[in-house]
Amino acid sequence: QVQLVESGGGLVQPGGSLRLSCTASGSTLDLYTIGWFRQAPGKAREGISCISSSDGATRYVDSVKGRFTMWRDNAKNTVYLQMRSLNAEDTAVYYCATDPICDSGHSLSTPVVFGSWGQGTQVTVSS
């Protein structure tokens, strides 16, 4: 079974950027659809982006569209999430997972995951 490890979180000022990584062991990530999710304090976990295993297509929720970019590096067995123009509302623990529903007919913000989760990485946006 694939194991996922997120990294790259930290403290950043409003307007700043961070790049998160989701690195796999035990299997090759390009076999999987991958999703990024986040959970803010006191809130439910929400999906924010996904990348399809079949065609590499990406989807984003409206709140991050144009600010976040997700891509794969198969050579490194890693999926990345580049986050720009961060604001306080982006403060959360960020998770990656394999095999979420990533179809256009599904509300991306509602997580439905059939695979494995990573342990999460904390992102704090504060001055």
Side-chain angles (χ1 to χ4, degrees), residues 16-91:
S17 299
L18 280 176
R19 179 180 294 183
L20 305 184
S21 301
C22 172
T23 301
S25 61
S27 186
T28 52
L29 266 186
D30 61 355
L31 297 176
Y32 300 91
T33 293
I34 305 295
W36 280 102
F37 305 83
R38 66 185 180 187
Q39 188 164 17
K43 295 187 177 181
R45 191 171 299 188
E46 64 170 346
I48 56 174
S49 68
C50 61
I51 185 167
S52 171
S53 61
S54 58
D55 60 5
T58 52
R59 293 183 63 208
Y60 303 90
V61 294
D62 287 345
S63 61
V64 307
K65 199 173 294 183
R67 299 189 300 124
F68 291 11
T69 304
M70 179 180 185
W71 74 97
R72 299 179 186 269
D73 185 333
N74 292 333
K76 295 184 178 179
N77 214 25
T78 298
V79 172
Y80 297 98
L81 184 69
Q82 178 70 50
M83 306 186 296
R84 298 181 176 89
S85 301
L86 288 163
N87 56 62
E89 288 69 40
D90 296 315
T91 294

Side-chain angles (χ1 to χ4, degrees), residues 37-38 44-47 100-101 106-113 117:
F37 305 83
R38 66 185 180 187
R45 191 171 299 188
E46 64 170 346
I101 294 180
H106 172 72
S107 173
L108 187 57
S109 61
T110 304
V112 179
V113 172
W117 290 89

